[in-house]
Every structure is written in structure tokens, then in C-alpha cells.
Amino acid sequence: MPRHQNMIAAVLLLCAVGALSDDGKTQPCVANHEAECLTPADYLNPSVTINKELALGKKLIISLEGLSGSPVCHWIRGEDRVMTANGSQSMVTSPFSETDSGGYTLTCDSKNATMFSTTVILRVMKRPTKRPTKPQLMLDGVDVSDTSPLFKCVSEGFPKPTIQWSGNKDGEQNFKGSDRKTESKISSAQYYNTGMMCCATNTEGQECSQLYDYDLQSSVMNKDEASTVTLSKGQSLLLRCRVKGYSLTSPVWEKGGRLLDARTLACKPEEEEEMCIKNDSHYGVQMAYLFIRSVREEHSGTYTCTSTNKNSKSVDVHVSDEVSLSAQLDETKIISAQEASSTCLQATVSYHPVLQHCSWETPDKKRTKCVRDTWVTQHRTVKLCDPLISGDYKLHLEAGGQKETKTISVCVVDEPKFNFLFNKDDGTINLETASLVPANYTWMVCLELNDSCETDSSWDEVPNASKTVSETDSNFSCNKPIKSSVSEDVVKGDQFRFCLTNSVGSWCKTHFMIIPPQSSIGKPPEYNSFLLKVCSLLLLLAWL
């Protein structure tokens, strides 16, 4: 019987080894609908805190493959060791719930010494976060007599966005129905003589849409009036022109020279008209709205509004699904260390239809969301305003599925450190430092006596000791080592100075060259011996 049990145990062991070895090949961690991966490439930089989002109910596979020394690894939350792996290739968590969000620590030890310890911040969510969609701006309440229509703004996102109206005016928020969609309504009478914008905002950002408003008191376009509007298929378009005068009638719209009849195209409630016109008046301002709920290519063209006093303004509308994305970013940026915490990186961007993703990657591989302008329908600039460090920063962009990456090399220049060394073997004074290049440096000597080297005129350049250090042709050098030396004979017994200048500033450091005496001329040996004894006694007393 024992022999039979031993045989069974051996067979089971062989099966287990075979299942684990998979012909000696370690299978890489692959994310799927049940699990996400955390790999050594993610966590082997101990100075970086990892932020990871997981969908509710997913597991986390912590891959340990490739770690040397068969380490013992721990997955820790607070003071509790949730899991331990001893020689395993991975650790697999249980499915996460929302209460599992928080901070964790992954540590691995080898031979009783810590290999690394990395902090991981987990955020467990019902679904991935999503920026608000560009709001659909529409007319509502068009059938209520003697009442201005309502503006309705609708957007989706996760977390559910909040809708705000320009001028800090409060609209009626409606969060019912979908757990992602928000709609808000406000009376158009609050904006009878000014433009209007609605913005949807959540933790992932902000998107805005506007009423394209045209004042026909004059035929000259104001700075806030758009002459060109570009839209994607399915977006809404809301135009309005207005003129002030109780005796005037509502302005009229035309497209490509064809009059758009306000009676036959009148907006009706609860109807999905292709295009409709709504006339309104408030405090003597006569208005004409042109509303398209969902634009198509055939809605492209020039729309002109004319008032009874014959003033007119036009807007070119383009409806396109073409994707475009470009960015302009400087190749290099040089700043002083004092400016590093108050300087922003900035890029100019152009895109269509929507800038879906924008983030900066720092030299230490951290990802940060772009800082974008608020209350704009198109983001023109994107920024990074964290304290800057030297290295390459990458800007990652995505619009309409098209991706773009730009790189800028940042050099943070601090005051250089000068290290002087005296080489007694060859009698030279050596200087070691590091600087942004190109840089110029020079040695200077003061031959004045009685410490009268306070003025610049007291200093003379050491001949043949000045030099320009250039950057290499293929490399932007932010912190290039610099070495230089001068002979002791040039500065012997005097003050000397080393000065360096680069594009950020100029620095000098002054030293006294003190050469140890070789002998005490004119003093008898007895005097030297007595002096040595006195000095030794003084040193002993100081020590005690």
C-alpha cells in the first residue's frame, strides 16, 4: 500500500511539473475580460507610484517572471499581507469590489534583502472613466406662445457630467434616466442680447458647445462671431441673428442665395425636423434662430442672415468626418532651477472632431493629464504645469482614432558646483564642474596685495586658459562635464578665480592658492622643534 501511494504521489508531481513548465516556456501575462496585468515593466521603478484603474469584478495578475534570485514577494494592503509568492511566476488576486480601491504595496525580498518596494494605487470602478461628449445644443419649448424658447444641452460621460451655462447662470439639471447622460434646460431670454455657451464637465475634463450668435446692428463681424464652423456628422447646429428695434421685423435666413421660409420651416415640438427656424423677440430685440438637430454633408454651405435695415452677416458651415490632428511643440526648453516650479510646458494643437486623449509623459515615466483651457469649444493649447525636471517630455494626443506624439527636451539649469583640486605631482590646479553647453569659461588671477581684489579691474585673465565648450552635433547636452587646469606657477601665492557663463547666467568662484612651506628659512632647528611641540600640545588639548 505505501508503495502504491508513493507511485500516485510521483505521478501527480510529474503532472504538476509538466503543467507548470509548459515545455520550459513561461507564458507572458495577457490581459483579458476577466483580468488585468501588472508586469515588472510597470513596477520595477521604485520611485514611481503606479495608478491603475480596474473594472468592477476583474482580477489583477501580478507577473513576477524574469525576477532573479527566486524572490519571496508580498502583496500588502496597509499592515496586512494579502498574498505571498515564494518562487512563483505570478500572483492572482480575487475579483475586486469597489471597497478594494486604495493603496497597496508590492515588495520582493531575496536572501533576506529587499529587492524593491513599489506603491500601487488601485481604483475599482463600475466602468472606465470617459470624458463628456461634446454637448448637443438644441431648442426646446418652441410651442409655448408668448414665451422665448428654451436652450437644451445634453451630454454623456462617466462619471455623469454636470452641465453649466455661461455667465454662471443656473439651468434645470435632469439626471434621471441613463446613468451616463445629463441634460439641462435654461430660458433663452437670459441670453437675448449676448452669446451663450454650455459646458459638460466631469473628472475627466470638459467639452463645450455654443450658440453661434450674430448681431446685425452693423454688418461688420465682431471678434466673437465665427465666420467658419466645422462640425461632424450627427452634431447639432444652432445659429441666431438679432437686431434691436421695436418697429423691425425678425431677420431672415438664406442658404446659398435661397430664402429659408420661417413659416414652412417653423420649429415644432417633439418633431425631428431636418432644419427649422424659430423667430422670437425680447425687450425689443428681434431674433431668428436656425436649428439643425443632426447635421449631414448636404448641410454644408454658406448661411446668411439679413435684417430689415439690410445689414447682413454670413457663416460658412462645413460638415465632415475627416480626421485631423497636429501639434506644435518646441524641441528644447532651457530654464533656471528657480523657474522650474512655476513654468508650464505648452503645445498648440489642431484637431477634428474631438481631442479624445491628451497626456504628458515625464522623464521618469509618469503620465499626467493635459491642462486644457476651460469654456472653449475648441482647445487651442494644452499645458503641463507640474514642477519640471531635466529630460525628455512626451506629449501624447489622440483624436478620431488618430494618434500623435511630440517630444521636448527640458534642461533645468542650476548654479554649477566648482570642485578645485591641487595636483602636487605636476603642480597644476584642476577644476571639475558640469554645465549646460554651449558655455564659456576662463581663469583669472589677482596680483594685488593687501586683499584689494574687490574690483573687476584687479583681475586679469590667465593667458591661454579660456575656452568655449560647444554642444555636440547630435546631442542636446544639459549637464556636460567640464574639466580644466592651470599651472601653479601662474597663480602661486595669489588669489585666483574660475568663471563660467552659459545661456542662463554667469558664475565665478574665488580661491586662495596656499602652498605648504618646504622649509623654515632663518629659524634654527631648535626653534622648529619647539614650535612643533607647542603645536602638538595645543592639538592634544583641543582633542581633550
Side-chain angles (χ1 to χ4, degrees):
M1 189 65 179
R3 181 179 179 184
H4 180 66
Q5 290 176 338
N6 290 340
M7 185 178 295
I8 293 175
V11 171
L12 290 174
L13 179 60
L14 287 172
C15 291
V17 171
L20 290 172
S21 65
D22 192 24
D23 296 330
K25 297 179 181 179
T26 301
Q27 295 298 317
C29 180
V30 178
N32 53 50
H33 69 283
E34 293 183 349
E36 294 287 341
C37 290
L38 189 67
T39 67
D42 299 320
Y43 59 72
L44 280 183
N45 186 348
S47 62
V48 176
T49 297
I50 300 172
N51 291 279
K52 198 164 187 67
E53 293 181 354
L54 291 96
L56 187 68
K58 274 198 171 186
K59 302 176 183 179
L60 182 64
I61 302 173
I62 305 169
S63 174
L64 306 174
E65 60 179 298
L67 300 182
S68 60
S70 298
V72 177
C73 298
H74 305 283
W75 179 244
I76 303 170
R77 185 178 191 184
E79 301 294 327
D80 300 326
R81 291 184 178 180
V82 181
M83 290 186 298
T84 297
N86 190 347
S88 301
Q89 292 295 313
S90 65
M91 290 188 285
V92 182
T93 69
S94 301
F96 283 107
S97 65
E98 288 183 275
T99 58
D100 292 320
S101 295
Y104 293 79
T105 303
L106 176 63
T107 65
C108 286
D109 304 327
S110 180
K111 298 179 181 178
N112 298 323
T114 300
M115 295 175 61
F116 65 86
S117 179
T118 303
T119 300
V120 181
I121 306 298
L122 291 184
R123 187 180 180 193
V124 182
M125 307 188 65
K126 292 182 179 179
R127 63 178 58 147
T129 57
K130 181 183 177 183
R131 284 181 63 85
T133 57
K134 195 170 185 64
Q136 293 285 88
L137 179 58
M138 297 172 279
L139 285 182
D140 198 57
V142 294
D143 59 329
V144 182
S145 60
D146 300 324
T147 303
S148 294
L150 301 174
F151 292 138
K152 182 167 74 171
C153 194
V154 182
S155 178
E156 294 187 20
F158 187 79
K160 181 181 289 190
T162 299
I163 292 178
Q164 302 163 290
W165 298 89
S166 55
N168 293 321
K169 296 179 180 179
D170 296 326
E172 175 191 344
Q173 300 273 348
N174 179 10
F175 296 99
K176 296 179 181 179
S178 169
D179 62 349
R180 295 179 300 166
K181 182 183 293 186
T182 302
E183 70 174 43
S184 179
K185 297 179 184 180
I186 196 169
S187 172
S188 63
Q190 298 192 50
Y191 300 94
Y192 74 97
N193 62 348
T194 184
M196 184 276 299
M197 186 180 296
C198 72
C199 293
T201 308
N202 67 9
T203 56
E204 296 303 299
Q206 184 188 77
E207 293 292 343
C208 301
S209 293
Q210 73 176 88
L211 162 71
Y212 294 97
D213 178 62
Y214 301 90
D215 183 1
L216 298 182
Q217 290 301 114
S218 73
S219 57
V220 179
M221 296 287 279
N222 299 329
K223 63 181 180 64
D224 295 329
E225 296 175 343
S227 58
T228 302
V229 175
T230 301
L231 301 170
S232 297
K233 292 178 184 177
Q235 283 187 301
S236 62
L237 173 64
L238 184 57
L239 306 175
R240 183 183 71 181
C241 56
R242 54 185 168 86
V243 63
K244 188 171 184 178
Y246 284 98
S247 62
L248 301 177
T249 59
S250 296
V252 294
W253 283 100
E254 64 178 46
K255 179 190 177 187
R258 181 176 65 88
L259 180 67
L260 302 176
D261 193 332
R263 289 173 297 178
T264 58
L265 294 175
C267 295
K268 300 175 183 178
E270 306 302 328
E271 289 194 15
E272 301 286 333
E273 309 97 343
E274 176 181 335
M275 177 190 299
C276 73
I277 292 176
K278 170 68 177 177
N279 291 333
D280 187 31
S281 64
H282 195 75
Y283 288 133
V285 177
Q286 312 301 322
M287 293 168 275
Y289 290 92
L290 190 155
F291 172 54
I292 304 176
R293 190 179 301 272
S294 179
V295 297
R296 303 191 303 272
E297 285 186 12
E298 50 264 39
H299 292 130
S300 297
T302 301
Y303 294 80
T304 302
C305 189
T306 305
S307 65
T308 52
N309 61 9
K310 302 306 179 183
N311 286 335
S312 65
K313 291 182 178 179
S314 298
V315 54
D316 292 324
V317 175
H318 301 276
V319 180
S320 173
D321 274 346
E322 292 185 10
V323 175
S324 64
L325 176 63
S326 63
Q328 295 180 342
L329 180 63
D330 293 337
E331 293 184 357
T332 60
K333 189 175 187 67
I334 301 170
I335 57 173
S336 67
Q338 291 75 22
E339 300 172 315
S341 59
S342 59
T343 300
C344 297
L345 296 183
Q346 178 173 308
T348 302
V349 295
S350 175
Y351 60 87
H352 182 78
V354 177
L355 190 59
Q356 298 161 304
H357 174 80
C358 181
S359 67
W360 293 89
E361 181 182 341
T362 63
D364 53 4
K365 305 304 179 184
K366 293 180 181 178
R367 286 287 189 107
T368 303
K369 294 176 186 176
C370 297
V371 176
R372 310 191 199 189
D373 295 330
T374 57
W375 291 94
V376 294
T377 57
Q378 189 88 355
H379 304 288
R380 304 297 182 185
T381 59
V382 294
K383 300 177 183 179
L384 174 70
C385 293
D386 293 342
L388 300 179
I389 59 176
S390 294
D392 287 345
Y393 283 79
K394 294 182 179 180
L395 172 63
H396 299 283
L397 303 168
E398 183 177 353
Q402 184 174 323
K403 297 182 179 181
E404 179 88 0
T405 298
K406 294 285 186 178
T407 302
I408 179 172
S409 294
V410 174
C411 182
V412 178
V413 183
D414 205 347
E415 180 179 348
K417 305 294 189 295
F418 298 133
N419 184 27
F420 293 97
L421 300 170
F422 176 68
N423 189 333
K424 62 181 181 180
D425 294 331
D426 59 7
T428 58
I429 304 168
N430 299 287
L431 180 283
E432 294 181 356
T433 188
S435 170
L436 166 73
V437 293
N440 299 320
Y441 69 78
T442 186
W443 292 82
M444 306 188 78
V445 61
C446 178
L447 301 177
E448 301 288 341
L449 301 177
N450 300 323
D451 298 326
S452 56
C453 296
E454 297 180 359
T455 62
D456 291 340
S457 59
S458 303
W459 292 87
D460 297 317
E461 287 191 17
V462 176
N464 303 319
S466 300
K467 186 178 179 181
T468 298
V469 183
S470 301
E471 59 183 297
T472 60
D473 295 335
S474 60
N475 186 30
F476 169 70
S477 182
C478 176
N479 204 35
K480 185 171 183 177
I482 294 176
K483 295 182 179 181
S484 181
S485 63
V486 292
S487 172
E488 165 200 345
D489 297 333
V490 178
V491 295
K492 186 174 181 179
D494 300 313
Q495 296 183 54
F496 68 89
R497 176 180 291 177
F498 182 86
C499 294
L500 183 144
T501 300
N502 57 35
S503 61
V504 174
S506 298
W507 301 269
C508 292
K509 188 169 184 179
T510 303
H511 264 244
F512 285 89
M513 186 59 208
I514 302 175
I515 306 298
Q518 301 298 320
S519 62
S520 300
I521 300 175
K523 300 294 181 181
E526 293 81 2
Y527 176 83
N528 289 337
S529 176
F530 173 76
L531 183 60
L532 179 60
K533 291 177 181 179
V534 171
C535 291
S536 299
L537 180 60
L538 290 173
L539 286 173
L540 179 61
L541 291 173
W543 177 261
L544 294 176

